[in-house]
Amino acid sequence: MKTKQILLAFLLFCVGFASNAQTARIKGIILDENNNPVEGVSINFQDKGTVTNENGFYILTIPANQRITLVFTHISLKRATLRIELKTNEDYEYNFQMSDSDELLGEVIISSGKQKRVEGITAIEPAIIRQIPGANAGVENILKTLPGVNSNNELSTQYSVRGGNYDENLVYVNEIEVYRPFLIRSGQQEGLSFTNTDMVQNVDFSAGGFQAKYGDKLSSVLDITYRIPTHFAAALEASLLGGSLTLEGVSKNQKWANITGVRYRDNSLLVNSQETESNFNPTFADIQTYLTYTPNARWQWGFLGNISQNTYNYEPLTRQTNFGTIDEPIALQVFYEGQEKDKYQTLFGAIKTSFTVNDNTTLKFIGSVYHTQEQEYFDILAAYYLGEVDSNIGSETFGDVTFNRGIGTQLNHGRNNLDALIINAEVKGFHKIETHAIEWGVKYTREDIRDRLVEWEVIDSAGFSINPPRDFPVNDQPYNPYIGPLVPYQDVRATNFVTIDRFSGYGQWSKKATLGTSEVWYNAGVRMQHWQVSGDGVQSQAQTVFSPRAQFAIKPDWNSDMVFRVSGGFYYQPPFYRELRDYDGVIQPDVKAQQSIHFIMGNDYSFKMWNRPFKLVSELYYKTLADVNAYTVDNVRIRYRADNETEAYVYGADFRINGEFVPGTESWFSLGYLKTEENIQDKGYIARPSDQRLKFGVLFQDYVPSIPSLKMYLNLVYNTGLPGGSPSYADPYDYQLRLKDYRRADVGFSYVLTEKNDLRPEGHWLKHFKDLSVGLEIFNLFNNQNAITNTWVRDVYTKTQYGIPNYMTTRVFNVKLTARL
């Protein structure tokens, strides 16, 4: 207890972070009245300026969050002026024609998000994502501190949003939908998220009520934009968990730009802190590139490519888990033989082109190919002893197992292979007509999946093989002889060759107007998807759904800066491959799209406190769900019933206050409450696997006042316990106990060697770096025991089945080096 108090006191004393300079960049191409590029145009603001090159291209760094006036001058053309205000780290492109007469170009204000406030979107600064510590640092690590976003597995990048599951979240990179591997069963097998945080420009997140232009999922949208480089830069990171290297640059004529990142990760440091002793040799690596070509101001091409490979070799040795009560402590001891060898290899490539027809019309084409080859091979024999622990403090055997209550063995075998190819082709359009905006898109997707699933489990308790719990005669040996067949306790075997063709499209309308003295925004749209499932031994099925959606926002003309939002609509999720596969691995082609109706009311209140900017965002939501495809969760693997025989509901409230609790930095505190229940085959309502009632999250940055180069980053999450789950073969109505609350705090300390570069003389070696820092990270600072799921163990004598918690990582220390040129 004293150790925790000392650590907490030190943490509160050291809280710290100092932000980067509050700047933004404006860039573009200047043409004359004949659409020829103009070289030698001077762009100036106060004492700062730049000049266009032979292609008419310019780029200038300007102060952020303040309205300034840019002056454009040329020896043979008249002066032009532009008033502009950009947000921090904003990259804004402004192209225009210079004429032979003086011209006031107008006013451009890119606030941090007037439009995003209206749409109910949370914007996250990339710098925060790179700095905040976490066992699986990245975009998803930050999302887990937001209200309504829940996860109790620090080794996984997957998350649930407002009562949904891991498969209900959309992820886009540069408007291109990205996918996860299919077969992953455990968070420790995941390795790397698709998103490379060193390549990110913008991160936007919506937890519900999103517009029709986004895809067909039930819960959330994560919309990520990679940046287009404007000069050479490099970033290097190395730690005990792996490392990354990112290079970016641009051609001399500014038409070609590329950013490429290579990453490597090894989770041994984290996994070896778990209860199971093992020989563990994982390697997770990927290379990702984003190449752009801009031949002129109206046309742009981009290529996004990714190659990743996760190799997971696992040989468990022993495990001991203590559970039960103080009066009746119980221990599970397990001795293992065998190993697991998994491999996930993915290739992804996408081309996107954008053509600006005129100032009011833009057309885009997106084509992508995703190919994944996955294998899971395992044979693991576990001999377990379920025993009573000596709780007598004065005893010589205190804490040891003194009586074995149950003895048994369990053999798990798997030979799973999957090969999936997903092809997308999409056309999108944007049209501005006076104060109206029209957006539309059509898309074709083909999913070709070849899957072989072979898994079986044999359980032997006290020398007797246990039969499956369903549809088999009772085995009550040794009292009566058993004459039935000896079969595995669980046996799943299936081979599926499945093709899914999808046609989808959307159209939406937006308008900004006034209502009396108030500003108002309207958005209405509809999505459609038609899909057909076919394959070997599969009876072809086709279905169609329509999803109308709408948003309304109003900003009253009050002294207080408030925006009120109402949004909702129908959200259908046509089944993906995993949702078509039932508990036995058999494809059910007639599975319907799950339906969710969203009702969301929100308030966005911006204010100043301590003469610094703050924002309080509040949302109330209710979702009713029909044709639900009920499921069970084993670690991060979801198995569906594939029958649409469930209905459900979700309601809750989310609150988040963010702002400069420390001058120049952003921190936030989140609070969320939700309740979600489901009714399976009219048996009555029970808690869904995602029923995580209370959520509290903190993201905090600070610095030590006496040592401003020493920064501190805190990531804290508290979630009340999830339902403990049930075996996939069991009736979930019989398994309604909850896991313990999830409590985790990760803290990072970083010493920035380049903090005082402005005071160093020219030629100093540190002047070559934009940032050079060394740091210490402490994961699970207070060493809390958090459980992800239960392992179900049978006691043959009492005929009791125990749920043994599968605990996650303990306290782990990591050191890190970061360098940026």
Side-chain angles (χ1 to χ4, degrees):
M1 181 61 71
K2 286 185 177 181
T3 302
K4 290 185 178 181
Q5 291 174 346
I6 293 171
L7 286 171
L8 181 59
F10 178 71
L11 196 127
L12 294 175
F13 173 76
C14 295
V15 231
F17 179 86
S19 71
N20 296 326
Q22 306 294 301
T23 61
R25 290 185 299 182
I26 181 172
K27 61 184 178 181
I29 296 175
I30 300 177
L31 306 174
D32 62 19
E33 293 181 332
N34 296 317
N35 287 327
N36 297 316
V38 182
E39 182 181 2
V41 177
S42 296
I43 304 100
N44 293 285
F45 160 69
Q46 294 180 355
D47 58 344
K48 296 182 179 180
T50 188
V51 178
T52 58
N53 63 13
E54 65 273 14
N55 298 298
F57 179 84
Y58 70 94
I59 182 170
L60 179 64
T61 300
I62 61 175
N65 303 316
Q66 57 179 281
R67 198 167 306 185
I68 66 169
T69 300
L70 292 175
V71 180
F72 299 80
T73 57
H74 188 263
I75 190 171
S76 61
L77 297 171
K78 295 294 186 179
R79 186 178 72 164
T81 58
L82 171 70
R83 286 193 293 271
I84 190 167
E85 179 182 343
L86 301 180
K87 70 174 185 177
T88 303
N89 296 325
E90 178 77 18
D91 263 343
Y92 183 71
E93 184 172 337
Y94 191 82
N95 308 310
F96 72 97
Q97 289 179 323
M98 265 185 108
S99 68
D100 56 3
S101 61
D102 286 345
E103 186 178 2
L104 178 63
L105 298 176
E107 186 171 69
V108 177
I109 299 177
I110 308 297
S111 65
S112 52
K114 180 175 280 189
Q115 191 63 32
K116 294 174 183 178
R117 292 178 71 188
V118 170
E119 297 177 4
I121 290 176
T122 300
I124 304 173
E125 292 293 338
I128 295 177
I129 297 170
R130 292 191 290 265
Q131 292 160 348
I132 297 302
N136 227 326
V139 175
E140 296 85 357
N141 179 51
I142 300 299
L143 292 184
K144 293 173 185 179
T145 66
L146 299 177
V149 182
N150 296 303
S151 173
N152 62 339
N153 187 343
E154 59 269 14
L155 293 178
S156 173
T157 60
Q158 303 192 49
Y159 52 90
S160 66
V161 179
R162 292 181 176 174
N165 67 32
Y166 307 137
D167 292 337
E168 297 178 9
N169 306 307
L170 283 162
V171 180
Y172 292 99
V173 174
N174 290 0
E175 301 183 84
I176 303 161
E177 186 173 358
V178 298
Y179 303 90
R180 299 176 182 272
F182 289 73
L183 295 183
I184 283 177
R185 294 174 293 112
S186 171
Q188 66 191 37
Q189 298 169 351
E190 287 188 50
L192 293 165
S193 163
F194 179 92
T195 307
N196 187 328
T197 55
D198 285 327
M199 300 171 64
V200 168
Q201 173 67 43
N202 294 313
V203 176
D204 296 330
F205 178 75
S206 174
F210 41 88
Q211 296 179 357
K213 66 181 180 180
Y214 295 113
D216 298 290
K217 295 283 187 178
L218 294 182
S219 294
S220 74
V221 173
L222 176 61
D223 191 7
I224 296 168
T225 303
Y226 280 177
R227 68 177 176 271
I228 300 176
T230 57
H231 58 275
F232 172 79
L236 170 70
E237 182 178 295
S239 75
L240 298 179
L241 291 171
S244 66
L245 174 64
T246 304
L247 299 173
E248 58 186 279
V250 63
S251 64
K252 290 183 178 180
N253 61 8
Q254 302 293 326
K255 292 184 177 182
W256 292 91
N258 176 255
I259 181 169
T260 298
V262 180
R263 297 181 295 174
Y264 172 82
R265 184 174 175 86
D266 185 339
N267 274 347
S268 299
L269 181 69
L270 296 167
V271 175
N272 288 338
S273 74
Q274 295 180 300
E275 289 183 324
T276 302
E277 295 184 12
S278 62
N279 293 323
F280 184 67
N281 182 29
T283 57
F284 309 120
D286 83 338
I287 179 170
Q288 199 163 146
T289 186
Y290 179 46
L291 174 68
T292 58
Y293 172 59
T294 309
N296 53 58
R298 296 187 180 276
W299 202 295
Q300 185 177 85
W301 294 79
F303 170 77
L304 176 64
N306 180 70
I307 301 174
S308 68
Q309 179 171 297
N310 290 4
T311 302
Y312 177 84
N313 296 328
Y314 178 64
E315 184 182 356
L317 301 175
T318 63
R319 165 185 173 180
Q320 177 168 332
T321 302
N322 297 324
F323 64 105
T325 64
I326 295 178
D327 296 331
E328 190 180 359
I330 303 174
L332 173 71
Q333 293 178 305
V334 186
F335 300 90
Y336 295 97
E337 290 185 18
Q339 61 181 332
E340 177 175 353
K341 290 189 174 183
D342 302 334
K343 186 175 182 180
Y344 312 92
Q345 179 174 297
T346 61
L347 303 173
F348 179 80
I351 293 177
K352 174 185 172 183
T353 180
S354 177
F355 178 65
T356 303
V357 179
N358 52 50
D359 292 342
N360 298 319
T361 299
T362 301
L363 298 176
K364 298 177 182 179
F365 170 79
I366 300 172
S368 67
V369 178
Y370 174 81
H371 184 213
T372 179
Q373 292 178 306
E374 306 173 23
Q375 70 172 38
E376 288 184 327
Y377 292 173
F378 54 88
D379 288 285
I380 297 178
L381 175 66
Y384 69 85
Y385 300 83
L386 192 64
E388 297 179 1
V389 179
D390 187 355
S391 59
N392 186 353
I393 298 178
S395 171
E396 294 181 356
T397 59
F398 174 70
D400 295 336
V401 177
T402 57
F403 174 74
N404 284 325
R405 178 181 292 183
I407 300 174
T409 58
Q410 177 176 311
L411 174 62
N412 284 289
H413 167 90
R415 292 293 184 273
N416 300 330
N417 292 90
L418 183 140
D419 189 309
L421 179 68
I422 302 175
I423 301 173
N424 293 284
E426 183 177 13
V427 178
K428 304 171 74 172
F430 173 85
H431 310 275
K432 185 177 180 182
I433 306 172
E434 296 180 348
T435 59
H436 305 268
I438 306 295
E439 296 178 71
W440 58 269
V442 291
K443 181 179 181 181
Y444 169 71
T445 302
R446 182 177 179 86
E447 301 160 11
D448 190 351
I449 298 169
R450 302 180 176 219
D451 179 26
R452 184 191 72 163
L453 179 65
V454 179
E455 289 185 13
W456 50 259
E457 177 184 28
V458 175
I459 298 179
D460 170 61
S461 183
F464 304 103
S465 179
I466 299 177
N467 279 331
R470 297 178 296 180
D471 304 324
F472 270 80
V474 175
N475 181 354
D476 59 351
Q477 295 184 74
Y479 307 105
N480 293 294
Y482 179 73
I483 59 175
L486 293 178
V487 297
Y489 190 71
Q490 292 188 77
D491 189 10
V492 179
R493 298 172 184 267
T495 300
N496 301 310
F497 291 176
V498 178
T499 300
I500 308 174
D501 292 287
R502 303 181 191 271
F503 293 91
S504 61
Y506 70 90
Q508 70 175 42
W509 160 82
S510 303
K511 177 180 172 62
K512 177 184 176 182
T514 57
L515 187 63
T517 58
S518 301
E519 294 181 84
V520 293
W521 291 264
Y522 306 92
N523 176 272
V526 63
R527 287 193 67 85
M528 178 279 296
Q529 184 169 141
H530 172 86
W531 72 98
Q532 183 169 1
V533 181
S534 58
D536 293 355
V538 176
Q539 185 176 356
S540 180
Q541 296 285 336
Q543 301 179 53
T544 305
V545 293
F546 292 89
S547 305
R549 307 172 187 177
Q551 295 181 331
F552 173 77
I554 182 169
K555 185 180 186 301
D557 185 18
W558 296 347
N559 291 331
S560 299
D561 184 4
M562 286 193 177
V563 173
F564 296 89
R565 294 186 306 272
V566 179
S567 61
F570 287 75
Y571 293 79
Y572 283 94
Q573 181 164 318
F576 204 51
Y577 174 73
R578 291 208 306 184
E579 296 164 76
L580 295 171
R581 197 174 69 176
D582 64 14
Y583 287 165
D584 297 321
V586 178
I587 292 299
Q588 304 295 334
D590 56 348
V591 172
K592 301 177 184 177
Q594 300 183 83
Q595 174 192 298
S596 177
I597 304 177
H598 293 196
F599 301 96
I600 298 174
M601 294 190 303
N603 172 256
D604 191 312
Y605 174 38
S606 296
F607 60 97
K608 285 198 172 182
M609 185 167 60
W610 308 315
N611 203 31
R612 297 195 292 272
F614 285 84
K615 181 189 293 186
L616 173 64
V617 179
S618 309
E619 286 193 335
L620 302 175
Y621 60 90
Y622 178 83
K623 297 191 286 189
T624 177
L625 296 95
D627 293 327
V628 174
N629 198 345
Y631 60 92
T632 60
V633 179
D634 179 10
N635 205 301
V636 299
R637 180 168 67 172
I638 296 176
R639 282 196 166 170
Y640 291 93
R641 295 173 62 97
D643 58 12
N644 296 115
E645 295 183 351
T646 302
E647 59 184 16
Y649 68 85
V650 186
Y651 66 80
D654 289 344
F655 306 92
R656 183 172 78 109
I657 181 170
N658 68 295
E660 297 186 14
F661 291 92
V662 175
T665 68
E666 182 182 14
S667 301
W668 62 68
F669 294 82
S670 301
L671 178 66
Y673 171 82
L674 77 82
K675 181 178 181 180
T676 179
E677 292 185 325
E678 61 187 8
N679 181 3
I680 303 175
Q681 298 178 335
D682 291 326
K683 294 181 181 179
Y685 280 94
I686 57 173
R688 303 189 77 198
S690 55
D691 184 34
Q692 196 142 42
R693 295 291 176 86
L694 188 63
K695 158 71 177 287
F696 178 68
V698 175
L699 184 147
F700 199 80
Q701 307 180 69
D702 200 352
Y703 65 94
V704 179
S706 58
I707 314 175
S709 297
L710 181 61
K711 323 290 184 180
M712 191 282 295
Y713 318 94
L714 174 67
N715 178 7
L716 185 148
V717 174
Y718 168 82
N719 297 325
T720 53
L722 282 167
S726 61
S728 60
Y729 56 80
D731 186 348
Y733 284 81
D734 296 333
Y735 293 82
Q736 285 299 296
L737 296 177
R738 289 181 177 266
L739 299 170
K740 292 183 179 180
D741 295 352
Y742 182 87
R743 299 165 295 166
R744 185 175 180 87
D746 298 327
V747 64
F749 300 93
S750 178
Y751 187 82
V752 183
L753 299 172
T754 52
E755 181 76 12
K756 299 180 180 179
N757 262 5
D758 292 342
L759 304 178
R760 293 190 172 99
E762 292 298 327
H764 194 282
W765 68 276
L766 284 174
K767 296 279 280 189
H768 298 291
F769 295 91
K770 290 182 180 178
D771 174 61
L772 181 62
S773 57
V774 292
L776 169 69
E777 296 177 325
I778 308 174
F779 305 135
N780 197 0
L781 178 64
F782 301 113
N783 204 27
N784 293 311
Q785 277 194 322
N786 295 310
I788 173 63
T789 51
N790 285 320
T791 294
W792 301 98
V793 176
R794 299 173 64 91
D795 178 359
V796 71
Y797 296 108
T798 64
K799 297 183 179 180
T800 301
Q801 189 162 243
Y802 291 93
I804 314 298
N806 294 314
Y807 291 119
M808 298 302 294
T809 59
T810 58
R811 185 188 296 120
V812 173
F813 294 85
N814 183 40
V815 294
K816 185 168 71 172
L817 170 69
T818 302
R820 296 185 183 278
L821 298 175

